[in-house]
Amino acid sequence: MENQENLNNENPSNRGKIIPVNIEEQMKTSYIDYSMSVIVGRALPDVRDGFKPVHRRVLFAMNELSMTFNKPYKKSARVVGEVLGKYHPHGDASVYDTMVRMAQDWAMRYTLIDGQGNFGSQDGDPPAAMRYTEVRMQRIAEAMLADIEKETVDFQLNFDDSLQEPTVLPTRIPQLLVNGSSGIAVGMATNMMPHNLGEVVDGCIAYIQNKEITIEELTGFVKGPDFPTGGIIYGFEGIRSALHTGRGRVVLRGKTNIETDSKGKEKIVITEVPYQVNRDTLTQKIGDLINEKLIDGVTDVNNESNNKEGTRIVVELRRDAVAQVVINQLYKLTELQTSYGINNVALVKGRPRILNLKDLIVEFIEFRHEVVVRRTQYELRKAKERAHILEGYIIALDNLDAVIALIRNSSTPAIAQDGLMTQFGMSEIQAKAVLELRLQRLTGMEIDKIREEHAEILKLIAHLEEILNNEGMRYQIITDELIEVKAKFADERKTEITYLDDEIRMLDLIEEEDVVVTISHLGYIKRTSADEYRQQRRGGRGSKGSTTRNEDFIEHLFVASTHHTLLIFTEKGRCYWLNVYQIPEADKTGKGRAIQNVIQLPPDDKVRAIIDIKNLEDEEYVKNNYIVLCTKKGIIKKTALEDFSRPRQTGVNAINVLEGDQLLEAKLTNGNCEIMLAVKSGRAIRFPEEKVRPTGRGAIGVAGIEVDDEKDEVVGMVCVTKEDNIRTVLVVSEKGYGKRTPVDEYRITNRGGKGVKTINVTDKTGSLVGLLDVSEKEDLMITCVSGITIRMSVASISEQGRATQGVKLIRVDEGDEIAAITKMDEKEEEEPTEEGEAPEQQQNETENNETPGVE
């Protein structure tokens, strides 16, 4: 400091030119200036149009070059040069990279640039150099520049003060919400996810109609992010946080399908990967995990993706592998499941702010309102200027001879102009316009056009003034333009949202309806709307109920609501839980999906019984109900439903099954029922439920019916209440014979006995295959091994004694037999069978009502 003072004293001319400053203050000031320059001029988008300066400049330059969607393409290098030379004095790579991204349909939810040539790929391939590619604007980008010539936005000088550039684009598209944005500034960053245009427009219109709308109500319109590459958002809580606060975390999963080839070998096909995930990198990662044996059950992985068919990454499985287990491993160990941090930071009036969903919509609508006002003011000014000129024309036309004489007698245009202004009261503008008027406008037809145009202009002026004086009209214009945008550019959601169990009741999102659930012998499960199965008369031919392989047939068929939960019991005595809505949906003839891909069922186990539970969360219900299980060897066991009320993904032991035995059936009871068991040879037993005391899940059980013959086994179990007198017992044999018998015809005995005859088994009827408790208000659905299914009214099946063989319920082809029977509520009127097949009811009644001997 002393040296500085001496220098100033020695040379007085240096005084005032060198100012000593504190270096800490200088660094602080310089750093703040730098950071604000990066924040405002580079890294953060403007909340109004959703663009950073480089995006805005690229689109503005293309607009100035008239590169609209219906014009020829131009070289990318031409556009880059225009942007660099006029508006964006930075590296050409930054501008070209911006253009490339705006043309990539896997990077932008709605692309703004139409690119021709190699613009890279989702596999990480780089784009071609800008001298090879060509571009023009997409139609949606033009909607972002509409009315820019009508003084709707402010302009500023470019970097060398030689040109004007817009500070913001007058976009009709809520670009920031629709395409999102990401950027790293100094001391802050932004990471905004893309959303569906149709949903965002609906949210904007909802806000216009109700300015007090809550964020929760807005989420009914804007469901959450919608990524260009699709995928499945796993969990809603992160989305909810982002929509409410501007910060959150989204977990995104790729979409997978399980395919089975002609040899029965399964493979996992990844059809959608998470946003910004490189497909080649993902494939390489899966291959590395296979080599390191961190993923078990996979033999090969290959990226078969292409531009025509889209994403297809095939993961080949070993025959003993469980596909769902492998998928869970892929989610855990690879980018097939990826998380994104949401940080909605944008510039609001030049200052960075964290914005929630409503903030973003409010800022956009306020900006659109400003654009509409400024556009209307511009159009009004132009209309008034035109009206002023037309009024000058009309004055001249009304005094045409005098005006012509004045002009002919004037030596110069200036004198003629002064004369018009003095004699006819015209303004300077009007006088100039009259002097420039072409002689052809003086014809009669042209004179009428001038008067018509003046009348139209006056109407337009009145309309524009009404808009400026009526806020409701302005918001209606905004609404109409948004509706037009939605009609032109909106599409369906690409990304699904899956709610976690602890976040929301999934049942609130599922339409409740009855569905027919089928499980085949080889373990394929599906659900089909019950309305697809129409009713037929007894003795009909039936219709094709499922397409199965030759060695497969429908083994379980029952009706359940989509809001219910299934308890699935296997032959080894395990219990699994499955929500009905989670069962893959297929049409009546569809094959379904392997059940091992729906629940974690081991390959050597098999489904034997299913119980439909309305609500496992109802404590009173689960405490007062029981599960009764029986095995093929006649063992029976009762366990409280409460023991099965806490679902586990891997299942639990329901009964300890002895070697050589298998679980056959499971029923839900209220503790006050009567149990009936029937065996293949045609015997049945009836005893009170109290005879079976409740035991834990791991117990073995007690004897229910005596099974002596090694070839004999239990084929069915029913549980009826003591008070239910209208129900009857239905038995069906493997050759399609059946009958109903009143419950009271079966005397009550102790459990463990031989029972009494329930059907007369002959070669004609075949062995007993099923036992149901039914009422006349229900329908019966019968499925054969071949897949043929028939639905008939229970009331059409006659009641007969225990020892009869019954009537023919369905015509069974040679070599075919009954595979499953189930009951369902009657909903349809009876109608004839298809293809003109008469039910031949009278013949069946005569032929089949045989009553051979009694017990």
Side-chain angles (χ1 to χ4, degrees), residues 2 15 40 42 118 154 215 281 330 360 366 554 625 651 659 694 754 756 773 783 790 794 816 818 847 849:
E2 290 179 2
R15 291 177 182 173
V40 176
R42 187 179 301 177
N118 175 19
D154 294 331
I215 299 175
T281 303
L330 293 175
L360 290 165
E366 286 184 359
I554 300 301
N625 285 274
E659 188 175 351
K754 284 183 175 291
V756 296
D773 62 306
T783 304
I790 187 171
V794 168
D816 200 3
I818 303 296
E847 176 183 296
N849 277 327

Side-chain angles (χ1 to χ4, degrees), residues 505-515 527 529 531 560-565 580-581 612-615 827:
R505 277 176 50 84
M506 189 65 183
L507 298 182
D508 295 338
L509 309 173
I510 303 295
E511 179 183 359
E512 184 166 13
E513 64 170 339
D514 283 344
V515 293
R527 64 181 168 97
S529 174
D531 293 335
S561 166
T562 49
H563 280 205
H564 292 185
T565 302
V580 174
Y581 66 79
D612 181 14
I613 303 294
K614 184 174 182 180
N615 186 5
K827 288 188 175 180

Side-chain angles (χ1 to χ4, degrees), residues 195 215 219 222-223 239-246 356-358:
H195 293 77
I215 299 175
T219 58
V222 185
K223 305 292 191 302
I239 299 174
R240 183 188 298 277
S241 174
L243 295 177
H244 281 75
T245 68
N356 59 35
L357 174 62
K358 186 173 181 180

Side-chain angles (χ1 to χ4, degrees), residues 496-649:
E496 298 178 15
I497 299 176
T498 301
Y499 298 84
L500 302 182
D501 293 339
D502 59 349
E503 291 180 337
I504 192 170
R505 277 176 50 84
M506 189 65 183
L507 298 182
D508 295 338
L509 309 173
I510 303 295
E511 179 183 359
E512 184 166 13
E513 64 170 339
D514 283 344
V515 293
V516 176
V517 179
T518 60
I519 303 177
S520 74
H521 178 69
L522 292 182
Y524 288 89
I525 187 171
K526 68 174 181 178
R527 64 181 168 97
T528 307
S529 174
D531 293 335
E532 284 199 31
Y533 292 86
R534 64 177 181 80
Q535 190 185 75
Q536 295 180 1
R537 287 191 177 94
R538 175 179 66 77
R541 184 68 179 83
S543 62
K544 194 71 174 174
S546 180
T547 301
T548 57
R549 293 156 64 181
N550 292 335
E551 66 273 20
D552 201 7
F553 57 88
I554 300 301
E555 195 165 62
H556 300 277
L557 186 149
F558 60 95
V559 179
S561 166
T562 49
H563 280 205
H564 292 185
T565 302
L566 301 182
L567 297 183
I568 299 177
F569 296 87
T570 70
E571 64 183 21
K572 290 191 175 183
R574 298 282 292 176
C575 175
Y576 297 86
W577 289 261
L578 180 62
N579 295 316
V580 174
Y581 66 79
Q582 292 177 318
I583 299 172
E585 192 170 8
D587 58 32
K588 192 168 65 170
T589 59
K591 178 181 177 182
R593 182 183 295 178
I595 196 167
Q596 285 89 350
N597 297 325
V598 182
I599 60 175
Q600 293 187 13
L601 183 69
D604 59 344
D605 206 355
K606 185 177 179 181
V607 173
R608 280 298 179 191
I610 301 102
I611 292 181
D612 181 14
I613 303 294
K614 184 174 182 180
N615 186 5
L616 278 175
E617 297 176 2
D618 187 338
E619 292 185 11
E620 184 178 352
Y621 180 77
V622 298
K623 285 181 179 179
N624 296 317
N625 285 274
Y626 300 88
I627 300 292
V628 175
L629 306 165
C630 77
T631 71
K632 287 189 174 183
K633 295 301 183 183
I635 300 298
I636 192 164
K637 177 194 169 190
K638 182 168 76 171
T639 304
L641 177 59
E642 188 176 12
D643 288 359
F644 298 95
S645 62
R646 291 171 289 279
R648 296 183 192 172
Q649 202 167 15

Side-chain angles (χ1 to χ4, degrees), residues 37-38 40-43 52-61 79-99 156-160 162-165:
S37 173
V38 173
V40 176
R42 187 179 301 177
K52 300 175 189 177
V54 63
H55 301 88
R56 191 179 299 122
R57 286 164 175 166
V58 167
L59 292 180
F60 180 67
V79 180
V80 171
E82 185 82 4
V83 175
L84 291 182
K86 290 185 176 180
Y87 310 113
H88 197 71
H90 299 281
D92 58 355
S94 64
V95 177
Y96 185 53
D97 288 349
T98 299
M99 286 177 52
Q156 64 187 12
L157 291 170
N158 68 341
F159 61 88
D160 63 357
S162 62
L163 295 167
Q164 293 276 333
E165 65 173 324

Side-chain angles (χ1 to χ4, degrees), residues 152 311 351 517 853:
T152 49
T311 299
R351 293 176 176 270
V517 179

